[in-house]
C-alpha cells in the first residue's frame, strides 16, 4: 500500500448552529440596554427536535431541543480558582433562546425552579413580563432573573448534558430493546443468576439499576465534588469531569447518537462584555457565549469501492519497562473552571473503577469503528470523485500517546490494506484538542493500491449564545 504525505494544518473548529451565517451576531442596539438578560443562539432555520447534534459536512449543528448543561458558580476570592460551585443546570436549545429546564443545587439535589427555595436564578414570570411591558417580545420566555442580590455569577456551559434521569432512562431503554453492549452511554450487560435474569431484565429493582449504571457507564453527572454513594448514582467533580468517547460508532438504530455523546463542547462567561461582573445590577446587556469543540475530530474520506464495514482504527500498546501497556487515551478529566483537560485517570485493568479500567484504548480490546456521516463529491484530477465520509471523535493525544494503525478492505477483496504507525507514516504526531484532521484516500491503480492526502479544513464559524438584540 503506497502513501503520499502532502501536508496537515490543524485548524481549531468551533460548533456551528443551524442556519448561522458568517456575519457576527449583532450586539444589543440603542433602546435595549435595559432589556432583561437571556441567552439565545440565532438561527435562520429550525430543524426537527432530536435533542442532539446534527453533522452536516463541515458543520456541527444544534437541533431544536438539544440539551446543554451549565455549571453556575459565584465569584469567591477564597475558593480554589476564584469561583465557588453553586448549581448544575440543564437548558434546551431553541431558535429564539435557551430555556432553563432543570436546576440541581450544590448537593446535587433538584431545585424547584419556580419555588420559594430557589435563590439562584429562574425565568421571568408572566406577571413580571407584563409588568415590564415585554409580553409582545418573542424572546420573553427566555428572559433570566438572577435571584442572588449580592453574588457575581459565572456560567460554564457544556455539551452533552448528563444527569441521573438520562443515565437511568438509557439503562432502562437498553433493557427494553435488548441492546446490551450497544447502549448510548456504554452500558454493558451484567451476568445475573439464570433464574433471576428475566426478573432483573424487565423489572430491575432500584438497587440493581444503580449498581449496573455505576459499574458499567463511562460518563457521570456533574457535581461540586466526586461522590460514590452506593445508594445513588456516582457523581464527578466539575474540576475532574470524565469526558469519554465510545469505541463503535456504527451500531444502534441511530448511529449518530454515539457520535453525539462522544463529542464535547464548552464555553464559559465570567464577566460582562465590558469587563464588569455578572450580577443583578449589570445583567441588562448582551452576554455572548462561544461553544468550542474540545475533542479531536477526524474524518476519513474513502472511495465508494471500499468495504465501509471494514474500516477501523487499531490502537497499539507500547513497551513501558518491558511491560506492554495501552497508550491512547479514551477518557480524560476536564476542568470546567479552566476549560482544559487536566485530570489523567490511572489505568488499571484490575481496578474496580470502571473509568480506570477503560481510560485507554487497549490493543487487545475492540478496534475503534468510525461513524459514516455521508458522502462528499470532490474534483480530483479534473474529475468528480465521490467519497464516503467516516468520522471518529477522540480525546486529545500527545506525541507519545497517539499510537495506532488504520485499516480497511476494498469491496470484493479479502486482504486488508493497513496504514501502520500513523504517528510516523501519516505525519500526524499528535491530536490536539479542538482540532480537525481530514485524511483522504485516493485510488492509484490495481497494483499500487491507495495513497493518502492529509488536508486542512477551513476554520468553522462559531456559536454565539447571546441575548437577542
Amino acid at each position: 500500500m503506497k502513501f503520499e504525505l502532502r501536508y496537515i494544518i490543524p485548524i481549531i473548529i468551533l460548533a456551528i448552529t443551524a442556519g448561522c451565517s458568517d456575519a457576527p451576531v449583532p450586539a444589543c442596539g440603542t433602546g435595549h440596554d435595559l432589556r432583561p438578560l437571556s441567552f439565545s443562539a440565532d438561527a435562520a432555520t429550525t430543524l426537527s427536535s432530536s435533542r442532539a447534534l446534527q453533522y452536516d459536512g463541515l458543520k456541527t449543528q444544534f437541533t431544536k431541543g438539544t440539551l446543554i448543561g451549565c455549571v453556575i458558580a459565584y465569584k469567591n476570592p477564597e475558593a480554589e480558582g476564584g469561583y465557588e460551585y453553586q448549581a448544575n443546570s440543564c437548558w434546551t436549545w431553541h431558535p429564539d433562546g435557551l430555556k432553563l429546564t432543570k436546576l440541581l443545587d450544590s448537593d446535587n439535589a433538584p431545585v424547584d425552579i419556580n419555588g420559594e427555595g430557589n435563590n439562584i436564578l429562574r425565568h421571568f414570570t408572566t406577571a413580571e413580563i407584563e409588568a415590564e411591558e415585554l409580553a409582545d417580545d418573542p424572546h420573553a420566555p427566555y428572559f433570566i432573573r438572577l435571584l442572588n442580590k449580592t453574588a457575581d455569577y459565572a456560567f460554564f456551559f457544556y455539551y452533552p448534558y448528563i444527569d441521573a434521569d438520562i443515565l437511568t432512562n438509557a439503562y432502562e431503554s437498553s433493557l427494553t430493546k435488548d441492546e446490551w453492549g450497544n447502549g448510548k452511554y456504554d452500558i454493558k450487560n451484567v451476568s445475573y443468576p439464570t433464574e433471576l435474569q428475566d426478573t432483573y431484565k424487565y423489572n430491575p429493582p432500584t438497587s440493581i439499576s444503580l449498581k449496573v449504571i455505576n459499574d458499567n457507564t463511562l460518563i457521570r453527572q456533574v457535581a461540586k465534588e466526586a461522590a460514590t454513594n452506593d445508594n445513588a448514582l456516582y457523581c464527578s467533580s466539575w474540576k475532574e469531569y470524565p469526558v469519554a468517547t465510545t469505541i463503535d460508532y456504527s451500531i444502534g438504530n441511530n448511529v449518530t447518537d454515539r457520535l453525539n455523546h462522544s463529542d464535547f463542547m464548552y464555553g464559559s462567561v465570567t464577566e460582562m462584555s465590558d469587563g464588569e461582573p455578572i450580577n443583578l445590577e449589570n445583567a441588562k446587556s448582551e452576554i455572548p457565549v462561544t461553544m468550542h469543540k474540545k475533542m479531536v475530530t477526524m474524518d476519513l474520506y474513502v472511495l465508494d469501492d471500499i468495504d465501509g464495514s471494514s474500516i477501523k482504527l487499531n490502537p497499539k500498546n507500547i513497551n513501558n519497562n518491558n511491560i506492554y501497556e495501552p497508550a491512547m487515551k479514551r477518557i480524560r478529566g476536564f476542568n470546567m473552571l479552566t476549560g482544559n483537560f487536566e485530570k489523567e485517570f490511572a489505568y488499571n485493568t484490575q481496578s474496580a473503577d470502571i473509568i480506570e479500567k477503560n481510560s485507554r484504548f487497549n490493543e487487545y480490546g475492540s478496534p475503534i469503528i468510525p461513524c459514516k456521516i455521508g458522502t462528499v463529491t470532490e474534483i480530483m484530477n479534473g474529475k468528480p470523485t465521490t467519497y464516503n465520509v467516516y468520522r471518529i471523535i477522540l480525546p486529545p493525544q500527545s506525541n507519545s500517546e497517539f499510537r495506532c494503525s488504520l485499516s480497511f478492505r476494498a469491496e470484493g477483496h479479502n486482504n486488508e490494506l493497513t496504514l501502520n504507525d500513523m504517528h510516523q507514516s501519516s505525519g500526524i504526531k499528535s491530536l490536539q484538542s479542538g482540532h480537525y484532521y481530514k485524511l483522504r484516500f485516493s485510488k492509484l491503480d490495481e497494483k499500487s493500491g491507495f495513497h493518502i492526502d492529509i488536508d486542512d479544513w477551513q476554520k468553522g464559524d462559531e456559536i454565539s449564545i447571546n441575548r437577542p438584540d
Side-chain angles (χ1 to χ4, degrees), residues 160-225:
Y161 172 78
I162 302 294
D163 63 18
D165 291 339
I166 289 175
L167 290 175
T168 302
N169 290 337
Y171 163 72
E172 293 174 350
S173 176
S174 68
L175 285 172
T176 303
K177 297 179 181 179
D178 196 19
E179 294 176 352
W180 286 113
N182 299 346
K184 295 178 181 180
Y185 300 98
D186 283 314
I187 297 176
K188 303 286 192 298
N189 196 0
V190 174
S191 297
Y192 297 126
T194 303
E195 65 275 12
L196 297 178
Q197 283 183 2
D198 288 342
T199 300
Y200 286 165
K201 184 173 182 180
Y202 296 107
N203 298 288
T206 301
S207 59
I208 297 297
S209 304
L210 289 174
K211 180 173 177 55
V212 172
I213 296 173
N214 287 336
D215 292 349
N216 296 277
T217 55
L218 306 182
I219 298 178
R220 295 174 181 172
Q221 54 189 339
V222 178
K224 180 179 180 180
E225 302 291 345

Side-chain angles (χ1 to χ4, degrees), residues 67 69 83 123 222 246 274 316 336 342 362 373 395 412 422 434:
L67 303 184
Y83 287 93
H123 287 292
V222 178
T246 189
D274 58 4
K316 298 297 180 182
M336 292 194 188
E342 296 177 1
N362 196 326
I373 63 171
M422 289 187 67

Side-chain angles (χ1 to χ4, degrees), residues 48-160:
S48 60
S49 179
S50 66
R51 295 193 176 188
L53 304 181
Q54 178 166 319
Y55 296 95
D56 179 18
L58 304 183
K59 296 182 179 180
T60 300
Q61 303 169 321
F62 284 140
T63 63
K64 184 178 179 182
T66 297
L67 303 184
I68 299 174
C70 181
V71 170
I72 302 169
Y74 295 160
K75 188 173 182 179
N76 181 356
E78 297 182 358
E80 181 182 356
Y83 287 93
E84 183 178 355
Y85 184 101
Q86 293 298 317
N88 187 27
S89 58
C90 178
W91 307 65
T92 55
W93 183 90
H94 301 271
D96 293 325
L98 294 182
K99 185 71 173 179
L100 177 64
T101 58
K102 187 175 291 188
L103 194 61
L104 304 172
D105 66 17
S106 58
D107 294 323
N108 226 33
V111 175
D112 182 354
I113 296 176
N114 297 314
E116 294 182 358
N118 179 13
N119 60 0
I120 302 173
L121 82 171
R122 58 169 171 78
H123 287 292
F124 273 47
T125 65
T126 301
E128 289 170 341
I129 292 174
E130 292 177 350
E132 299 196 26
E133 300 181 351
L134 296 168
D136 294 333
D137 194 313
H139 302 284
Y142 309 102
F143 291 154
I144 292 294
R145 181 175 293 283
L146 304 180
L147 301 178
N148 191 314
K149 297 180 179 180
T150 61
D152 293 336
Y153 285 70
F155 299 88
F156 302 92
F157 291 90
Y158 65 95
Y159 172 91

Side-chain angles (χ1 to χ4, degrees), residues 328-347:
M328 289 187 66
K329 299 296 179 64
R330 183 182 179 189
I331 307 174
R332 301 196 99 113
F334 190 83
N335 188 330
M336 292 194 188
L337 177 59
T338 65
N340 297 311
F341 288 102
E342 296 177 1
K343 169 73 174 181
E344 297 295 344
F345 295 102
Y347 176 76

Side-chain angles (χ1 to χ4, degrees), residues 340-368:
N340 297 311
F341 288 102
E342 296 177 1
K343 169 73 174 181
E344 297 295 344
F345 295 102
Y347 176 76
N348 184 349
T349 56
Q350 303 302 316
S351 172
D353 191 321
I354 188 68
I355 291 180
E356 291 181 350
K357 287 182 179 179
N358 291 276
S359 63
R360 302 185 191 182
F361 293 105
N362 196 326
E363 178 178 352
Y364 303 111
S366 301
I368 304 170

Side-chain angles (χ1 to χ4, degrees), residues 11 37 78 80 108 114 131 157 185 192 219 239 264 280 292 297-298 319 374 394 400 426 440 456:
I11 303 296
L37 171 67
E78 297 182 358
E80 181 182 356
N108 226 33
N114 297 314
F157 291 90
Y185 300 98
Y192 297 126
I219 298 178
K239 297 179 182 179
F264 186 78
L280 186 62
H292 296 266
T297 302
M298 180 182 291
N319 189 340
L394 299 169
S400 62
S426 73
R440 184 199 297 114
D456 66 321

